[in-house]
């Protein structure tokens, strides 16, 4: 099994931030070899206790024994959040594509609460 993971996070001036990551994975169990790469990028902006975040992530087509599988999927999301006494309530709206649904795009909405340490 081989894995590659590379990423960075940068705090930029005026409340902006940027983060990105790339992951490459290969699994060879002696019977067959499975490979798949993925990456993500997130930009955010904070103005006092309020923030917005926009992100994109994708799993690229995998390969089994060198044969492309046409199973890529991705998600694009936007999030509005705030900080209240260390808690971060948020609303996230995302558009995701999935190879299992004939390349249709689903819209997903989530409401959540995180805690910052």
């Amino acid at each position: 099994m081989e894995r590659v993971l590379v990423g960075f996070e940068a705090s930029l001036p005026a409340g902006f931030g940027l983060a990105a990551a790339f992951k490459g994975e290969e699994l060879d169990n002696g019977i067959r070899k499975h490979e798949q790469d993925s990456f993500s990028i997130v930009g955010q902006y904070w103005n006092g206790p309020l923030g917005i975040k926009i992100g994109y992530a994708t799993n690229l087509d995998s390969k089994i024994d060198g044969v492309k599988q046409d199973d890529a999927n991705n998600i694009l999301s936007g999030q509005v959040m705030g900080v209240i006494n260390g808690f971060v309530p948020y609303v996230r709206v995302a558009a995701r594509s999935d190879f299992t649904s004939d390349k249709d795009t689903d819209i997903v909405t989530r409401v959540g609460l995180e805690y910052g340490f």
Side-chain angles (χ1 to χ4, degrees):
M1 181 182 324
E2 294 183 31
R3 294 183 183 158
V4 174
L5 180 60
V6 178
F8 77 91
E9 184 174 349
S11 295
L12 304 172
F16 289 94
L18 185 64
F22 171 84
K23 181 178 86 171
E25 190 163 10
E26 178 182 300
L27 175 63
D28 188 348
N29 63 7
I31 298 170
R32 64 186 202 177
K33 182 176 171 184
H34 185 204
E35 304 170 70
Q36 189 168 30
D37 295 336
S38 61
F39 68 87
S40 63
I41 185 164
V42 175
Q44 62 182 351
Y45 170 72
W46 285 93
N47 185 0
L50 299 176
I52 59 171
K53 186 184 291 189
I54 297 173
Y56 177 79
T58 186
N59 292 314
L60 304 175
D61 287 329
S62 66
K63 292 180 184 175
I64 296 177
D65 294 329
V67 178
K68 184 176 154 183
Q69 298 300 303
D70 191 27
D71 58 356
N73 57 13
N74 61 62
I75 189 164
L76 175 65
S77 65
Q79 178 172 307
V80 177
M81 57 200 155
V83 177
I84 303 169
N85 295 325
F87 291 92
V88 183
Y90 65 87
V91 175
R92 181 181 303 142
V93 177
R96 63 182 180 185
S97 71
D98 188 351
F99 68 92
T100 62
S101 62
D102 199 25
K103 304 292 184 191
D104 287 339
T105 300
D106 294 329
I107 302 297
V108 180
T109 303
R110 294 209 170 115
V111 176
L113 182 66
E114 298 177 357
Y115 183 76
F117 292 89

